[in-house]
Amino acid sequence: MKLKQAITGVAALACITTAHAQSAGTFYVTTGWFHLAPQDSSHPLKETSVGGSPVNIEIPNTGASLSDADTAGFTAGYFVTDHIATELVMGIPPRFDLNGTGQFASFGKLGEARQWSPTLLFKYYFRAPESRFRPYLGLGVTRTWFTGEQITNSQFEQGVLHGPTSVTTDSSWAPVFNVGFTFAIDQHWFAGVSVSYVPLSTTAKLNTQANTPVGTLTVASETKIKLNPIVTYINVGYRF
C-alpha cells in the first residue's frame, strides 16, 4: 500500500512539474494589445531646395510631435533551450497623428502616418521551465517604415508650406530592449506582459508645389523626428 501511495505521489508530482513547462523545443503564439508611447522630439523644419537650387533655410521654433497609438498584434516564438527563446513580433500598423509644436502648435494636427515595425527578439527566461511565473529579458532588432504619410491640415499646407505637399519618410533599423514575464494558466495557456524601448528616429521629407510671386516652384524641406517609443504589450498565449 505504501509503495502504491509513493508511486501515485511521484506521478502526481510529475504532472505538476510538467503542466506549465516552457522548455526546449516548445513552440508558442500570443495575441494581445500594443500601446505605443513615443518619447519624441524633432529638429526645426528646414528648407533644402527651392526651384531645384540648394538652400539651407531653417525655420526656428518649429517642430512636431507624435500622438500615442494602440493596435492589436501577435507573436510566434520557439524555445531553443529551456531558457532562451526566439520570437517574431508583428502588429496591425498603428496610425500616428503628427501634431505641431513651437510656432506650429496653433495648427494642432498637421498630418498622419501608419507605422510598420516587424521585430525579431531573443529572450532569456529566468526560473525553471516548470515555473508558473517566468520573468525574462529580451534584446532584438526591428525594421521600421511608414505608409500613408500625408498632410491633413489644409490651413497649415496653404498658410505655411504655400501649396500641395507630399510626404515621404526614411525606413530604418533599430535595436529593441525588452523586459517582461509570463504566467502559466494551465498546460497550454498563459498570459503575459512586456515593455520595450526602441531608440528610433526618422526623417520626414516634404515636397511642395509652392505658389510664389514668380509662379509655382518646387520646395523641398525636411525635419528629423526622434520617436523613441515605449511599447507595452498585454497578451494571452498558447504553447504547443
Side-chain angles (χ1 to χ4, degrees), residues 17-38:
T17 57
T18 59
H20 313 292
Q22 294 172 311
S23 54
T26 301
F27 287 95
Y28 65 89
V29 294
T30 75
T31 187
W33 200 250
F34 285 103
H35 178 73
L36 297 89

Side-chain angles (χ1 to χ4, degrees), residues 45-46 48 66 98 111-114 144-152 157 161 164-172 201-208 218-225 227:
L45 184 66
K46 180 174 65 176
T48 57
L66 292 176
L98 186 70
E112 62 187 30
R114 289 193 178 273
T144 301
W145 67 93
F146 295 86
T147 59
E149 308 101 313
Q150 60 179 327
I151 301 295
T152 58
E157 188 173 48
L161 302 176
T165 301
S166 60
V167 184
T168 59
T169 52
D170 292 338
S171 58
S172 60
S201 64
T202 186
T203 298
K205 298 178 180 179
L206 287 66
N207 189 287
T208 303
T218 299
V219 177
S221 53
E222 65 179 38
T223 181
K224 183 176 182 179
I225 303 174
L227 288 77

